[in-house]
């Protein structure tokens, strides 16, 4: 009998109910990373749609044009969500045994939440039977757990390397949350707090949680058993201990990789508290094929698709823009009383109308109403946007682009597929900085 997983809604009033939540049974036994029996039968793909990261690990060096290394943090190409869907459709034709789609970088999925959530929505609509999974540092997962459950993301991996700030600070150079940077123990405390919150929330929705721990000699190798115990108490399902892979030009480049004997001892300690994972392949952010046997032909397909211009929905003629004066994309959506609506014509872009946004003060109902009011738009260009409006508006198939710069540059990116060069200012759109609200959320 096949094992299936149905995502159940939590009863806690803290979490909103899922409107239109699917109740599809997904065969989780087809996940080769979580099931040894599936390892040689079913293929997986990591979609490299998340180039940015919100922390800097002392063992990590991200490469977005790398073909020579096989480790997390590297990819040969970065795809847009629409390119990722096209790539997956072509892969599925080539690999009928492809059962799992994951997003694992090359940065962090939730340092790129718009790209990550848009990709997941597109895939779930096209492939309702597909297993969806994510791998994250956990820093910015919590705001998206509700929709992850609605999209039936069944597996989430959280990399947690320590339990206290004194050790954690030695593993990370900096942490960035809500456009604010943290270093040292302060950054470590922020990261740990958010990781624990993410694990608890994911388990409230019945999502399978795996803990990844990078074993760093002399720093956390003696603490892995404690991490395993705490992970089990938080409700995590299994734990994967990964030996440090010294990478050139990183602070840990001169450390030695833990020996096979050390890793056996570490996994024995883990097994005293929680199920250990023993067949990790330390995959790239663009891994594809059977576990440990990446498909070389798929790599060429990835490169070809990365060159393609793929539109979101060409039947939607318009693009909505949040702008203070009609020249620049420079307004936070929560502050926008109206949106400029543009369309492409043979003689250039034309402003069609200035469309009022729903009034504030209604919480998420405001964003549901806004999504309906601009459902003739293929994209929304904003200077800043919070997790709730991004998630709710994005469900209607509208591509959300966070940028600052000329409106015409944003329109070129949407209509012509041109590369978007945008200037970001660190705190301009941080809630509470240029916002009349209280900092507790837009709406």
């Amino acid at each position: 009998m096949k094992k299936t997983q149905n995502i159940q809604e939590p009863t806690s009033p803290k979490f909103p109910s899922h409107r239109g939540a699917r109740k599809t049974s997904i065969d989780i036994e087809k996940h080769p990373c979580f099931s040894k029996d599936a390892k040689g039968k079913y293929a997986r793909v990591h979609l490299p749609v998340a180039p940015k990261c919100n922390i800097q690990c002392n063992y990590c060096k991200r490469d977005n044009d790398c073909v020579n290394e096989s480790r997390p943090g590297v990819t040969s190409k970065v795809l847009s969500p629409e390119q990722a869907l096209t790539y997956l459709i072509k892969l599925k034709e080539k690999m009928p045994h492809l059962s799992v789609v994951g997003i694992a970088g090359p940065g962090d999925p939730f340092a790129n939440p718009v790209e990550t959530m848009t990709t997941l929505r597109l895939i779930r609509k096209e492939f309702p039977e597909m297993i969806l999974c994510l791998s994250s540092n956990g820093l910015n997962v919590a705001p998206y757990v509700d929709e992850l459950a609605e999209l039936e993301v069944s597996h989430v991996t959280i990399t947690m390397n320590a339990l206290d700030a004194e050790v954690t600070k030695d593993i990370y150079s900096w942490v960035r949350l809500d456009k604010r940077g943290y270093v040292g123990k302060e950054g470590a405390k922020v990261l740990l707090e958010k990781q624990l919150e993410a694990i608890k929330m994911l388990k409230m929705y019945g999502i399978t949680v795996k803990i990844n721990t990078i074993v760093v000699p002399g720093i956390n190798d003696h603490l892995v058993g404690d991490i395993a115990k705490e992970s089990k108490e938080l409700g995590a399902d299994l734990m994967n201990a990964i030996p440090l892979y010294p990478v050139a030009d990183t602070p840990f480049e001169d450390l030695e990789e833990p020996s096979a004997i050390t890793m056996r001892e570490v996994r024995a300690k883990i097994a005293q508290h929680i199920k250990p994972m023993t067949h990790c392949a330390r995959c790239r952010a663009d891994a594809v094929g059977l576990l440990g046997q990446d498909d070389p032909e798929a790599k060429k397909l990835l490169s070809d698709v990365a060159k393609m211009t793929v539109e979101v929905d060409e039947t939607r003629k318009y693009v909505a823009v949040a702008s203070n004066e009609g020249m620049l994309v420079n307004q936070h959506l929560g502050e926008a009383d109206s949106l400029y609506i543009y369309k492409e014509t043979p003689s250039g872009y034309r402003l069609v109308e200035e469309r009022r946004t729903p009034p504030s003060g209604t919480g998420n109902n405001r964003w549901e109403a806004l999504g309906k009011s601009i459902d003739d738009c293929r994209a929304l260009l904003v200077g800043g946007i919070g997790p709730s409006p991004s998630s709710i508006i994005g469900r209607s198939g509208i591509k959300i682009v966070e940028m600052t710069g000329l409106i015409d540059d944003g329109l070129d990116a949407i209509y012509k597929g041109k590369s978007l060069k945008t200037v970001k200012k660190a705190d301009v759109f941080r809630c509470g900085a240029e916002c009349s609200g209280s900092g507790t959320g837009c709406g």
Side-chain angles (χ1 to χ4, degrees):
M1 183 180 294
K2 294 191 298 184
K3 273 190 182 179
T4 59
Q5 175 166 317
N6 287 314
I7 304 299
Q8 299 295 325
E9 293 185 22
T11 56
S12 169
K14 179 180 179 181
F15 299 94
S17 62
H18 304 156
R19 294 190 177 185
R22 301 168 184 83
K23 297 299 178 185
T24 306
S25 291
I26 296 174
D27 187 359
I28 62 174
E29 283 296 286
K30 292 182 179 180
H31 198 315
C33 305
F34 285 77
S35 171
K36 276 189 175 182
D37 293 337
K39 179 181 176 182
K41 299 177 184 177
Y42 295 99
R44 89 298 188 218
V45 60
H46 289 175
L47 298 178
V49 298
K52 296 180 292 186
C53 200
N54 45 13
I55 66 174
Q56 180 57 60
C57 308
N58 288 335
Y59 50 77
C60 180
K61 179 184 177 184
R62 293 181 299 281
D63 285 316
N64 292 352
D65 192 19
C66 178
V67 295
N68 300 317
E69 293 185 87
S70 182
R71 61 175 175 83
V74 300
T75 181
S76 59
K77 299 293 179 183
V78 173
L79 302 179
S80 71
E82 295 74 34
Q83 289 172 331
L85 178 62
T86 300
Y87 176 51
L88 180 58
I89 291 171
K90 294 178 180 293
L91 273 181
K92 188 65 174 173
E93 293 172 356
K94 172 181 166 54
M95 300 179 182
H97 59 301
L98 179 63
S99 62
V100 178
V101 174
I103 300 176
D108 188 88
F110 297 100
N112 308 260
V114 172
E115 293 81 0
T116 295
M117 299 308 295
T118 300
T119 301
L120 293 175
R121 293 182 203 112
L122 291 172
I123 293 170
R124 180 54 76 215
K125 182 177 180 181
E126 186 74 21
F127 296 98
E129 80 291 351
M130 193 70 71
I131 299 171
L132 299 181
C133 66
L134 295 159
S135 183
S136 171
N137 56 51
L139 180 64
N140 195 36
V141 170
Y144 302 94
V145 172
D146 177 60
E147 192 179 2
L148 294 179
E150 182 177 345
L151 290 168
E152 292 187 288
V153 174
S154 55
H155 298 72
V156 174
T157 295
I158 302 293
T159 298
M160 187 166 64
N161 292 320
L163 294 174
D164 65 84
E166 193 62 43
V167 176
T168 301
K169 70 176 177 57
D170 294 330
I171 300 176
Y172 305 96
S173 298
W174 51 259
V175 172
R176 187 169 182 81
L177 180 65
D178 296 331
K179 297 178 181 172
R180 178 182 172 186
Y182 303 87
V183 296
K185 288 184 69 173
E186 185 182 19
K189 288 177 181 178
V190 170
L191 177 60
L192 287 169
E193 177 185 343
K194 294 299 182 181
Q195 287 176 333
L196 300 180
E197 179 186 9
I199 296 168
K200 291 175 183 177
M201 290 183 67
L202 289 165
K203 291 313 303 177
M204 288 188 72
Y205 281 93
I207 295 172
T208 297
V209 173
K210 172 167 68 74
I211 303 300
N212 271 0
T213 297
I214 311 302
V215 180
V216 185
I219 294 181
N220 73 343
D221 51 342
H222 60 295
L223 300 172
V224 178
D226 295 333
I227 299 172
K229 181 180 179 182
E230 176 71 11
S231 298
K232 182 63 176 179
E233 291 175 355
L234 289 168
D237 299 275
L238 69 164
M239 182 170 169
N240 180 28
I242 305 173
L244 171 74
Y245 180 83
V247 177
D249 301 322
T250 67
F252 287 171
E253 65 177 335
D254 294 326
L255 295 182
E256 291 188 7
E257 181 173 352
S259 67
I261 294 174
T262 296
M263 293 308 300
R264 281 198 297 271
E265 293 173 349
V266 165
R267 292 184 179 113
K269 292 178 181 177
I270 290 173
Q272 295 175 16
H273 306 285
I274 191 171
K275 180 181 177 182
M277 181 179 177
T278 57
H279 63 287
C280 174
R282 200 151 54 184
C283 299
R284 291 167 53 103
D286 58 0
V288 57
L290 295 175
L291 204 64
Q293 302 176 38
D294 283 357
D295 190 309
E297 292 182 21
K299 295 294 185 182
K300 182 181 184 304
L301 178 60
L302 174 68
S303 180
D304 291 342
V305 171
K307 300 173 185 175
M308 296 173 59
T309 298
V310 183
E311 294 293 349
V312 183
D313 186 349
E314 294 185 3
T315 63
R316 300 185 184 190
K317 298 180 179 180
Y318 305 121
V319 172
V321 179
S323 174
N324 284 307
E325 71 299 294
M327 290 287 294
L328 302 171
V329 184
N330 58 6
Q331 192 174 34
H332 193 290
L333 184 63
E335 291 287 287
D337 295 324
S338 62
L339 297 173
Y340 293 89
I341 307 298
Y342 288 85
K343 77 172 184 178
E344 185 181 35
T345 72
S347 57
Y349 302 122
R350 183 168 72 86
L351 177 63
V352 177
E353 64 176 301
E354 190 174 352
R355 194 176 295 177
R356 298 289 295 179
T357 60
S360 61
T362 58
N364 286 341
N365 290 334
R366 183 188 187 195
W367 309 123
E368 291 173 359
L370 180 59
K372 292 177 182 176
S373 73
I374 59 171
D375 63 3
D376 55 349
C377 297
R378 66 177 65 174
L380 169 64
L381 309 182
V382 294
I385 187 171
S388 291
S390 173
S391 173
I392 293 167
I393 296 169
R395 293 175 195 178
S396 58
I398 298 169
K399 180 181 178 70
I400 299 171
V401 178
E402 278 192 271
M403 62 168 287
T404 55
L406 292 171
I407 290 175
D408 279 7
D409 289 346
L411 295 176
D412 281 346
I414 299 300
Y415 286 110
K416 295 182 170 59
K418 290 186 178 180
S419 176
L420 183 60
K421 294 181 180 179
T422 176
V423 178
K424 283 282 188 181
K425 294 183 180 179
D427 291 316
V428 171
F429 300 111
R430 179 167 55 86
C431 284
E434 292 296 319
C435 174
S436 59
S438 63
T440 58
C442 297

